[in-house]
Amino acid sequence: MSSFFAQSVMPVIDWALIAPEVIVCAAAVIVMLVDAFVHPAQRWITGSVAMVGLGAAAAASIGLWLGGTATSDAFNGMIVLDELRLGFTLIFLLVSALTLLISTVWVHGERLPAGEFHSLLLFATAGMMFMASGNDLVIIFLGLEILSIATYVMAGFRRTDVRSNESSLKYFILGSFSSAFLLYGIALVYGATSIAEPGPGGSLSRIVAGTTNIAEIASRISQAQYPALLFAGAAMMLVGFGFKIATAPFHIWTPDVYEGAPTPVTAFMAAGPKAAGFASFIRVFVFGLPFVVTASSASGASVHKAWLTTLVVMAILTMTLGNVVAIVQNNVKRMLAYSSIAHAGYALVGCVAAGAATDPVQRHTAITAVVFYLLTYAVMNIGAFAVVQLIARPGDRRTAIEDYRGIGFDSPVLAFSLSLFMLSLLGMPLTAGFMGKILVFGAAIDQKFYGLVIVAVLNTAVSAYYYLRLIIVMFFGERTMAWSAPRIPASVAIALVITVLGVLYLGIFPGRVISALQTKIESQVFTKQLSAR
């Protein structure tokens, strides 16, 4: 009897299913061990080990993409294998690799412990990967906490800098509040999804406890015993995810943290955790709470309407606030922080389209648009911060827009690269940013959100002021003080080449990438309920 009970509760272990995450975690541990024995002057060794780990994880992810299969009950269904997970996983690995390249000179120049930074970066990457692969709210929360704790430390990694310490403390305090909201929301959804099983003759047999499994949550919405808790639980989870992706009104931490954190950390935070937040957001609110397929019930229809209306309002507020406030910023890092807020609003437009779609093809198109948009944003944003880091010098001394005055022809490589990234962030044709916006706006138009798209286009026009302002200052401004062009280290040069080519390739030849990212996986409940109609 005891052996039967043990077999009934022991989950099926499939290590191949979580191979990318295991490789990254193992690389982080190896980096810590290597760092304990190498000489401080040999900081490149830990960076090399970390890069090898990221490459191996990418190879494992591609292997899963090409021929991977997942047992449906592996890890009790808490880990999922689909295009959404693998697409975001490759984005996370790319972001971490680029961050590793641009941070090498920073770690060396400021004599910081390289092994600690590289291991924290890898653990943060593992947290992001679990957020994308989690088919259970517990796994998503676990990944969020792994990511958050690592980024709290990374934001304050420059321990002798008061601004870095302040940004870390603000991020920690507000991040703790958001984690509490998310955890409380998970608890409420768990309570709301308890169901009553009928017995013989229609009598009540037993009460089945709630669940945190996303597929199970979707299957129980129409028969949940406490529908009102779904409103409260979904609202609280929206607050938690809203903080991570920096949407209004949960954006207040972003400008101060982005400005005070070291520039390579800011680059990572603006691209990686934001994409991870959207991955979990899509997983929970599109797959886990597919209110559109429960519209036949009164509670499902009302929750669906409330959810979409809330997202539309958040998207409008986020785009408008981010772009308008960015106009008056005189610090490049704060300007890019508010730009990051605005781009979260653009990505939300695609999420609104995915949530409203009743046709699986249109839903997949909207999700693919969001994934592609976040990929393009990560490439052009990290490239921009790589240039900002070189111009800022050690200690981030020169981050004011005035510090860029007249440098266009003194440092043409950096100036032209930064100009390309600014134009891509604006959404200029033939750049990655243009194709990303075309996809998310097109998905919203397919769902007839014309007003939302008009607001997004108007906000894009507003953003032209502060993006073009920096270009004009660089090439047409007149310097009033001496300035020497910084040397471009080999690692940063590699990162700039990758990001510049990425911006141009994704803007001119995006077809193959879009096809590869195309989400084909069907939510189990979505398929089941549509076939039953």
Side-chain angles (χ1 to χ4, degrees), residues 10-11 40 394 459 498:
M10 282 294 292
N459 272 283
I498 293 173

Side-chain angles (χ1 to χ4, degrees), residues 420-506:
L420 176 63
F421 299 135
M422 293 296 106
L423 293 175
S424 185
L425 288 167
L426 170 60
M428 192 65 66
L430 301 182
T431 63
F434 175 76
M435 289 307 305
K437 288 183 179 179
I438 286 293
L439 290 179
V440 293
F441 294 170
I445 290 176
D446 289 340
Q447 302 304 316
K448 297 180 171 53
F449 286 98
Y450 302 119
L452 181 60
V453 174
I454 290 173
V455 173
V457 172
L458 291 176
N459 272 283
T460 300
V462 171
S463 68
Y465 176 84
Y466 59 86
Y467 289 133
L468 296 180
R469 175 193 176 193
L470 186 59
I471 298 175
I472 292 172
V473 166
M474 286 192 297
F475 288 98
F476 300 101
E478 186 175 344
R479 287 205 64 82
T480 57
M481 61 184 72
W483 185 81
S484 59
R487 184 181 63 86
I488 304 177
S491 60
V492 179
I494 294 173
L496 285 176
V497 169
I498 293 173
T499 51
V500 167
L501 294 179
V503 166
L504 296 176
Y505 181 81
L506 294 175

